[in-house]
Amino acid sequence: MKLAIINPNSTESMTQKCKEVALKFKNNDTEIWASNPENSPKSIEGHYDEVKSLAGLMEEIKKAKDWGADAYVIACFDDLGLEAARELVEGPVIGICEAAMHMTTILASSFSVVTTLNRSVPIIEELSHKYGMSKFCRKVRAANIPVLSLEDGTCNAKQKIEKEI
């Protein structure tokens, strides 16, 4: 099994963290390939960043296909480019928002989402509706922190997320 993880932003350290987590939980016979485009926004914080990152994401999907990927994960909670990626390849393409919402309904009767910025709230609400999760998704809330602060230790990201939870 060959699993490709594509982070559509250009922050390599985030891509490496995704890979590290996948390596901890993979089967022994699963190979992990993680990548990100070089010429996309450093973080994806709304529709504008999404549009700017789509071409690079599709190029990374093509590279993963050439590598021989059996399945693909788009590692951005906005699930950007999901349908386009599914048109390019034959294996499953999984968005982490869709996967999280479906898995959560197995564990609980309802859920809420805490995201980074306010501009992400309507995007995630729309995804909840699109995935048929509106009846389970009670609230989408923002901790009002930039995406990159999740990594760089600025603005007390962990404490702000915990407070919002």
Side-chain angles (χ1 to χ4, degrees), residues 1 19 47 52 62 78 92 97 100 129 135 144 151:
M1 171 69 157
K19 183 176 183 177
H47 292 296
K52 289 184 71 171
K62 289 177 189 176
D78 290 357
C97 178
H129 177 72
K135 66 182 180 180
N144 294 313
E151 248 194 1

Side-chain angles (χ1 to χ4, degrees), residues 63-131:
K63 288 178 191 175
K65 181 180 179 181
D66 292 344
W67 173 68
D70 297 302
Y72 308 78
V73 174
I74 297 178
C76 176
F77 210 75
D78 290 357
D79 286 355
L80 60 129
L82 193 59
E83 292 83 5
R86 287 173 175 165
E87 290 177 4
L88 286 178
V89 298
E90 294 188 18
V93 180
I94 301 162
I96 61 174
C97 178
E98 182 178 22
M101 287 183 178
H102 282 284
M103 287 305 298
T104 301
T105 62
I106 293 170
L107 302 171
S109 59
S110 65
F111 62 88
S112 292
V113 176
V114 176
T115 188
T116 51
L117 296 169
N118 282 329
R119 73 183 91 151
S120 298
V121 171
I123 295 168
I124 295 169
E125 287 174 339
E126 179 58 32
L127 289 173
S128 171
H129 177 72
K130 175 181 174 182
Y131 300 147

Side-chain angles (χ1 to χ4, degrees), residues 10 16 26 29 44 55-56 64-65 79 88 93 108 114 116 120-121 131 134 148 150 155 158 164:
S10 63
Q16 289 310 310
K26 74 173 190 72
D29 61 346
I44 297 170
K65 181 180 179 181
D79 286 355
L88 286 178
V93 180
V114 176
T116 51
S120 298
V121 171
Y131 300 147
S134 296
L148 294 178
L150 295 171
C155 76
K158 183 178 179 184
E164 196 61 43

Side-chain angles (χ1 to χ4, degrees), residues 25-82:
F25 295 99
K26 74 173 190 72
N27 290 332
N28 290 335
D29 61 346
T30 301
E31 294 178 55
I32 305 292
W33 183 81
S35 70
N36 57 269
E38 293 179 13
N39 298 319
S40 65
K42 292 209 174 285
S43 64
I44 297 170
E45 298 182 341
H47 292 296
Y48 180 76
D49 295 329
E50 177 180 331
V51 169
K52 289 184 71 171
S53 67
L54 285 173
L57 170 63
M58 293 305 116
E59 287 305 312
E60 295 304 310
I61 293 283
K62 289 177 189 176
K63 288 178 191 175
K65 181 180 179 181
D66 292 344
W67 173 68
D70 297 302
Y72 308 78
V73 174
I74 297 178
C76 176
F77 210 75
D78 290 357
D79 286 355
L80 60 129
L82 193 59

